[in-house]
Amino acid sequence: MGVTREFPGGSVVTRRRDKDRQPELERLAALAGAASADAAVAMESEAPPVTGPPDLTAAAFFDVDNTMMMGASIFHFARGMAQRKFFTTGDLARFAVEQAKFRLLGSESKEGIRKSRETGLSFIAGHSVEEMRAHGEEIYDELMADKIWAGTRALAQMHMDAGQRVWLVTATPVDLAAIIARRLGLTGALGTVLESENGVYTGKLVGDLLHGRGKAHAVRALAAREGLDLRRCSAYSDSVNDVPMLSVVGTAVAINPDSDLRDEARKRGWEIRDFRTGRKAAKIGVPSVLGAGALAGAIAAGLAYRRRAS
């Protein structure tokens, strides 16, 4: 049975209920979370030590896009890759708009969603992990370093000074998220895991994008591996999509929140911090119709298409 929905301009579409897809989506989210936690643990040996007496059962988890960094990290990365001729900025804009239209009108088919996940970020298939990390280091310096929110960075440092470990949690590929974490002096990152064989990317995702419930799965999985007491942990985000992650910890804080998260935070009594001016907030916020995970999906689908068409 479908759901009839009316949109501005008189368009009417019929969208199938998602209930039949929920078990599979939940399985993929759990797989993505577990893979991300495994990657984070593997990278932890490279992490800098906490600056205060170690507090081994408490930690903090920070979303990246519009929470730790102005704008979307995956988009900054994509811009850098466009400059390196992996694809054009016009391709990026066109496919992002097309993906947004699909989401607005409900015209993404189940098969289309599956293919998007299967091929996510396939433009890097055949490239080595080390090559992409090297590009990531350069792109961070060029396009990301000056976009870190000083206020959020100070909150992360507060946790480090208290002896707590701090992880970023993002839909951005974990290899790139780890670069951001390392440059900020944090413990590490939970991010989307890209499949690789013998140090070369296959162009597939392990599970799904680390988004929404996937982030909550990742935080729980990491807590189990690291012996964390989630009641003593904190999480920070700007997006209502991260309510699942914010809900699994003892202290949740809305940073630069979108309107839906602001309402949810007020309802639940969560602290709200906003480091934006009104004008800047309007300029840099990711449109609510996309959100961080949807934007990452738009880029993934667009770049996969670009590779197939070339």
Side-chain angles (χ1 to χ4, degrees), residues 99 111-121 205 297 300-301:
Q99 185 78 353
E111 180 66 10
I113 293 171
R114 186 190 68 78
K115 287 182 177 179
S116 178
R117 290 195 180 99
E118 289 286 323
T119 59
L121 291 174
L205 304 179

Side-chain angles (χ1 to χ4, degrees), residues 46-128:
E46 305 170 10
V50 296
T51 52
D55 184 349
L56 298 180
T57 62
F61 301 92
F62 285 80
D63 171 55
V64 175
D65 300 344
N66 291 323
T67 303
M68 181 63 74
M69 176 183 294
M70 301 178 191
S73 52
I74 189 67
F75 194 82
H76 296 317
F77 174 70
R79 282 180 56 208
M81 297 307 289
Q83 292 170 1
R84 288 157 176 79
K85 309 303 182 185
F86 274 67
F87 57 94
T88 71
T89 52
D91 290 331
L92 178 61
R94 183 171 66 257
F95 290 115
V97 168
E98 191 67 19
Q99 185 78 353
K101 183 179 72 174
F102 287 155
R103 289 178 180 273
L104 273 172
L105 300 180
S107 57
E108 273 190 332
S109 67
K110 183 176 179 179
E111 180 66 10
I113 293 171
R114 186 190 68 78
K115 287 182 177 179
S116 178
R117 290 195 180 99
E118 289 286 323
T119 59
L121 291 174
S122 67
F123 76 105
I124 65 171
H127 291 279
S128 73

Side-chain angles (χ1 to χ4, degrees), residues 26 29-30 33-34 169 190 210-223 230 241-249:
E26 191 68 18
V169 189
L190 295 161
L210 196 72
H211 175 63
R213 297 195 65 81
K215 289 186 177 182
H217 281 295
V219 168
R220 287 195 189 97
L222 185 64
L230 285 174
N241 293 320
D242 286 341
V243 165
M245 176 181 75
L246 295 169
S247 300
V248 302
V249 298

Side-chain angles (χ1 to χ4, degrees), residues 39-49 130 133 178-179 182 185-188:
V41 170
M43 294 177 183
E44 193 173 352
S45 61
E46 305 170 10
E130 288 305 314
R133 285 177 180 169
I179 292 171
R182 186 171 64 254
L186 307 180
T187 307

